[in-house]
Amino acid sequence: MRLLTLLTAAILPLAGAAAPAAAATPAAATSSAATPAIWKWRSVHSADGMARAWGKVAISQFGYVVYGNLEDTIGKGCAWAVLRAQNASNGRWKVYGFYNCTPGTGTFRKNYGSVLQIKVQVCRGNSKRPTGECSKQKTIMTQGG
């Protein structure tokens, strides 16, 4: 009986000490996942000033996510946001385009895996492709910078 009491007294403090440490681990992981790094990028205008895009880049669980707004101001033709991303493993560039053909603001979203940098360019065009009046490319995210 006395041996059982001594063993119980020795085990309880160890179990009590382990519980708070285990409980603190998920809270720390949750707080870092709840506040990802976000970079906002300012308006980029087409060369004729009739289209513009702005938004943010956020770190996601699998890489990066670009959230953007694309505004077509005149309604004749379409506004285009062209995203270019450089792959971190092979250095190749991939290009994605988003368009808005109605006056007002539309939104877009693009998920990326591991990339070195992301650039945006705003153009005018039609519903099939950008046709001209493009801005210069603007870097909106650089890995490590």
Side-chain angles (χ1 to χ4, degrees):
M1 185 73 160
R2 195 175 240 182
L3 182 59
L4 183 60
T5 306
L6 287 175
L7 286 175
T8 305
I11 293 173
L12 284 177
L14 293 176
T25 305
T30 304
S31 66
S32 65
T35 56
I38 296 174
W39 299 273
K40 291 183 180 179
W41 47 284
R42 295 183 186 167
S43 290
V44 178
H45 294 267
S46 61
D48 64 359
M50 299 298 173
R52 73 179 180 129
W54 69 96
K56 61 187 174 181
V57 179
I59 293 178
S60 71
Q61 184 176 1
F62 301 107
Y64 297 92
V65 181
V66 176
Y67 299 95
N69 300 290
L70 180 59
E71 182 179 39
D72 182 19
T73 59
I74 61 171
K76 183 177 179 184
C78 302
W80 278 81
V82 180
L83 296 175
R84 290 174 171 81
Q86 186 178 25
N87 188 301
S89 61
N90 61 18
R92 293 185 182 154
W93 290 88
K94 287 197 174 186
V95 180
Y96 299 93
F98 301 91
Y99 65 93
N100 178 17
C101 295
T102 58
T105 304
T107 60
F108 62 90
R109 175 183 169 160
K110 178 65 183 147
N111 293 314
Y112 290 102
S114 179
V115 293
L116 295 175
Q117 59 182 322
I118 303 171
K119 296 182 178 196
V120 67
Q121 185 177 31
V122 179
C123 301
R124 299 291 297 157
N126 56 36
S127 62
K128 299 199 185 308
R129 64 185 175 88
T131 57
E133 299 295 333
C134 294
S135 67
K136 293 181 179 180
Q137 293 182 31
K138 179 180 180 181
T139 303
I140 58 174
M141 190 284 302
T142 301
Q143 189 181 59

